[in-house]
Amino acid sequence: MTQRAGARLWSQSELCALACHDLAAKEKMDAFAAYLSGLVVNVGMMVGLRLMDQMSGKGVHDIPRAGEFYRSLILQAGHLSHRIVEEWGFPENVIQALGEKAGQDAPEAMSRLGRILCRCDQSSKLDLLTDNQRLPAEIAASI
């Protein structure tokens, strides 16, 4: 799992980090904190995928294939990213932004950095899907 998804996740994280940096600079905010937020947005997912790799390496072949499992994985990966940056001692505003994103707070309840992170994460995912021609035509046409 990690080998297949790792490079794409890292590419998306880099795109997100650069977008966060640029948008924060434009809004006269701490561009470095914004960059860090985007760079680590997927760290929890990388850990989750690595754990799945370890499970499959031990003969465990029952990794769920259901959509509900993956929706839950995405949600829990966000919480894990938040906890990891807390543990690593990242700046408080970065920790807060990742926590807001993981908690799926309403945009009006988020900090400015939290809103930037969510916006840039979504945008970078769409860019990656578009670049790899993986976005359904009806969605691509509405963007």
Side-chain angles (χ1 to χ4, degrees):
M1 290 296 257
T2 307
Q3 276 189 336
R4 287 193 326 210
R8 285 193 178 153
L9 278 171
W10 184 248
S11 292
Q12 190 262 322
S13 296
E14 288 178 317
L15 287 172
C16 183
L18 291 170
C20 285
H21 175 276
D22 292 349
L23 190 53
K26 182 180 175 186
E27 294 191 18
K28 308 262 189 277
M29 294 174 54
D30 183 349
F32 182 69
Y35 181 83
L36 283 177
S37 297
L39 200 58
V40 297
V41 72
N42 290 319
V43 71
M45 180 60 75
M46 292 298 291
V47 169
L49 293 175
R50 183 72 184 124
L51 289 171
M52 289 173 67
D53 284 346
Q54 289 172 353
M55 287 174 54
S56 65
K58 294 185 181 193
V60 179
H61 298 290
D62 58 349
I63 295 173
R65 304 270 186 241
E68 186 58 38
F69 170 79
Y70 287 100
R71 282 187 288 281
S72 179
L73 175 64
I74 290 167
L75 179 63
Q76 294 307 315
H79 291 292
L80 186 55
S81 292
H82 175 241
R83 293 186 78 138
I84 289 169
V85 297
E86 274 184 314
E87 189 64 32
W88 286 350
F90 271 56
E92 187 57 41
N93 56 346
V94 173
I95 294 169
Q96 180 183 357
L98 283 159
E100 291 166 345
K101 183 179 179 317
Q104 300 181 332
D105 293 358
E108 59 274 3
M110 290 183 176
S111 63
R112 290 173 61 201
L113 183 55
R115 286 192 299 272
I116 286 174
L117 177 60
C118 287
R119 185 175 175 188
C120 293
D121 182 52
Q122 198 171 48
S123 174
S124 60
K125 286 175 181 171
L126 287 172
D127 286 348
L128 194 61
L129 289 170
T130 302
D131 290 349
N132 289 292
Q133 300 175 340
R134 303 289 294 177
L135 196 62
E138 64 274 6
I139 295 174
S142 68
I143 297 175

